[in-house]
Amino acid sequence: MIRARRKSVGVNVGGVKIGGGAPVIVQSMTNTNSERADITADQIASLAAAGSELVRITVNTPEAAKAVPEIVKMLEARHVKVPIIGDFHYNGHLLLADYPDCARLLAKYRINPGNVGIGKKHDENFRKIIDIAIQYDKPIRIGVNWGSLDQALVARLMDENTRRVHPLAARDVMIECMSRSALESAQMAEDYGLPRDHIVLSAKLSGVQDLIDVYRNLAERCDYALHLGLTEAGMGAKGIVASTAAMAVLLQEGIGDTIRVSLTPQPGGDRGEEVLVAQQILQSLEIHSFQPQVSACPGCGRTSSSFFQDLADQVQIHIRQKMPVWRKQYRGIEELKIAVMGCVVNGPGESKHADIGISLPGAGEDPKAPVYIDGQLSKILRGDRLIDDFIAMIDDYVHTHYGS
């Protein structure tokens, strides 16, 4: 059972609420050259269509800052309303000051206290960003990353640790450094006048256990909204499993107000995969539903044909294609449960537990496929049009059960 959500201060990001009891929000980030407004707008639109509720872009050069108004204009022309977050490193204080349209149109600024500046410059540059956020009434995410920690803070905590009677292990010092960097920066932002409900914190590491520990630490010490994400998660199964292992533990404990799965895409791969994985984590934990779920058997010696795999694949493709329209027309469609089973062992039982399910014949079974609707046998399908017939029954179920 999911523990009660940790109480956090709500933050409004371009009309999307983070924390404060709102559903956990899915974020993503483009990997385009932000100076190219056209391709960046294309990818933002694609990520939004996949279900990303916030999209972050890199703003690292004057040309990228100049492109922000054009990107926003292109998205407005397509009626894409997803809030855009600007990701700033090293020169954010300059870009936000020199390009006011960029500062005004972004929904949130993400800054890393480890690379805002060094020494006195750190405080000066940080304050400039906070002053601009206050001027335009923008929230910020203070995003600490273990690969770019504030070295002055690291040195200070290391010195403190050496003076302890019982020094902490290096890993524990790192966890404390991550937490302290986020919390001290947030306090500094508040001291400069940024309201508490304009601050989101993150502290990203690439180790699963490290990430769990640092977020538990933060959750105990503050009520700021928290953004979860395993940084440099990796490619394919490794990235998916590691991100899920880390975030599922925290989400199960009620920690986390917004998440991103930082997958490394395959060359030429779909950037939207990270959105789908994030959604599936939340839906599998029964925290937030995004689209109908398809249960399908893995196959065994009874399923000598790959037909059930083809059917499951076609059903999922059909759902992805239909969801942009279904989501607008059919309230609650995200809760629909479909079963595609490959033989008589578990097929009828799983199909009866789904809203609509089909039990295909396994090896040596009668060439017929019973379809169950709301637990009752509805129809027997046979023949070459079985896939089309079952998909048509799904469409009819959606219309009759969610149409009102």
Side-chain angles (χ1 to χ4, degrees):
M1 179 180 292
I2 303 292
R3 294 187 194 172
R5 289 277 302 282
R6 162 186 169 270
K7 292 183 179 179
S8 60
V9 177
V11 181
N12 187 324
V13 181
V16 174
K17 187 177 180 182
I18 296 176
V24 179
I25 297 300
V26 172
Q27 297 192 33
S28 59
M29 184 175 183
T30 60
N31 60 356
T32 58
N33 179 353
S34 301
E35 296 177 6
R36 291 285 306 279
D38 52 350
I39 60 173
T40 301
D42 285 344
Q43 191 171 85
I44 292 171
S46 176
L47 291 168
S52 185
E53 296 157 283
L54 297 171
V55 178
R56 181 158 47 110
I57 67 172
T58 297
V59 186
N60 58 335
T61 65
E63 290 73 22
K66 289 178 187 177
V68 168
E70 190 175 353
I71 291 168
V72 171
K73 184 177 180 180
M74 289 178 176
L75 293 172
E76 288 176 347
R78 301 186 192 186
H79 305 288
V80 177
K81 298 180 180 180
V82 64
I84 309 303
I85 300 164
D87 191 66
F88 294 95
H89 296 273
Y90 307 108
N91 59 354
H93 59 293
L94 299 174
L95 296 176
L96 288 167
D98 293 344
Y99 299 94
D101 284 345
C102 169
R104 177 176 58 84
L105 292 170
L106 290 171
K108 184 175 73 169
Y109 313 148
R110 186 267 181 166
I111 56 176
N112 183 339
N115 55 38
V116 172
I118 299 174
K120 183 180 178 181
K121 280 292 184 183
H122 173 280
D123 293 355
E124 292 176 355
N125 296 347
F126 186 84
R127 178 156 195 167
K128 288 177 182 177
I129 295 173
I130 299 305
D131 286 345
I132 293 170
I134 294 170
Q135 178 184 351
Y136 293 103
D137 192 27
K138 302 295 182 181
I140 64 166
R141 170 157 70 93
I142 296 173
V144 181
N145 193 299
W146 82 306
S148 51
L149 278 171
D150 181 344
Q151 292 306 302
L153 178 60
V154 173
R156 174 159 57 91
L157 292 190
M158 287 294 186
D159 287 343
E160 290 178 8
N161 191 52
T162 58
R163 292 194 293 270
R164 290 174 178 265
V165 176
H166 301 290
L168 300 174
R171 176 185 179 276
D172 294 332
V173 177
M174 178 191 68
I175 297 296
E176 177 60 20
C177 190
M178 295 282 292
S179 301
R180 192 92 65 90
S181 178
L183 294 171
E184 289 184 0
S185 296
Q187 185 58 59
M188 189 183 299
E190 285 199 65
D191 291 344
Y192 293 152
L194 189 68
R196 195 172 187 79
D197 64 359
H198 280 50
I199 299 173
V200 179
L201 299 186
S202 68
K204 293 189 175 184
L205 303 97
S206 60
V208 171
Q209 297 297 344
D210 295 335
L211 191 85
I212 291 170
D213 285 349
V214 77
Y215 274 98
R216 283 174 173 168
N217 193 322
L218 283 173
E220 290 178 358
R221 294 165 65 174
C222 75
D223 62 356
Y224 295 112
L226 298 179
H227 169 72
L228 303 186
L230 189 75
T231 192
E232 290 97 36
M235 298 181 75
K238 186 271 179 185
I240 293 171
V241 172
S243 294
T244 303
M247 288 193 282
V249 171
L250 293 166
L251 291 165
Q252 188 79 7
E253 296 178 0
I255 298 171
D257 302 291
T258 171
I259 69 172
R260 181 194 171 204
V261 176
S262 300
L263 289 183
T264 303
Q266 296 288 340
D270 183 3
R271 187 68 166 181
E273 182 184 9
E274 68 176 51
V275 178
L276 301 180
V277 174
Q279 290 178 331
Q280 194 59 55
I281 291 172
L282 295 174
Q283 191 147 354
S284 295
L285 290 169
E286 299 181 3
I287 291 174
H288 192 175
S289 294
F290 295 92
Q291 62 180 354
Q293 296 291 280
V294 180
S295 297
C297 72
C300 66
R302 288 177 174 270
T303 54
S304 57
S305 168
S306 63
F307 185 78
F308 78 96
Q309 297 167 312
D310 296 332
L311 176 55
D313 186 49
Q314 289 298 314
V315 168
Q316 295 198 123
I317 291 172
H318 182 73
I319 289 170
R320 284 197 296 269
Q321 292 173 341
K322 286 286 189 177
M323 275 306 289
V325 175
W326 282 358
R327 192 175 286 113
K328 296 176 183 177
Q329 293 183 349
Y330 303 116
R331 185 177 181 181
I333 186 62
E334 297 86 357
E335 303 293 339
L336 175 65
K337 293 179 174 58
I338 301 169
V340 178
M341 305 304 296
C343 78
V344 74
V345 174
N346 294 318
E350 287 284 354
S351 297
K352 290 176 183 177
H353 285 110
D355 296 313
I356 177 170
I358 187 170
S359 179
L360 295 168
E365 297 174 15
D366 291 338
K368 61 182 182 181
V371 177
Y372 296 84
I373 292 180
D374 296 330
Q376 301 298 317
L377 178 62
S378 174
K379 194 172 184 178
I380 302 291
L381 298 181
R382 297 182 176 85
D384 296 338
R385 288 188 51 81
L386 190 149
I387 291 179
D388 292 338
D389 290 343
F390 183 60
I391 288 176
M393 292 184 72
I394 293 173
D395 288 344
D396 182 66
Y397 186 94
V398 168
H399 178 70
T400 56
H401 287 70
Y402 296 93
S404 61

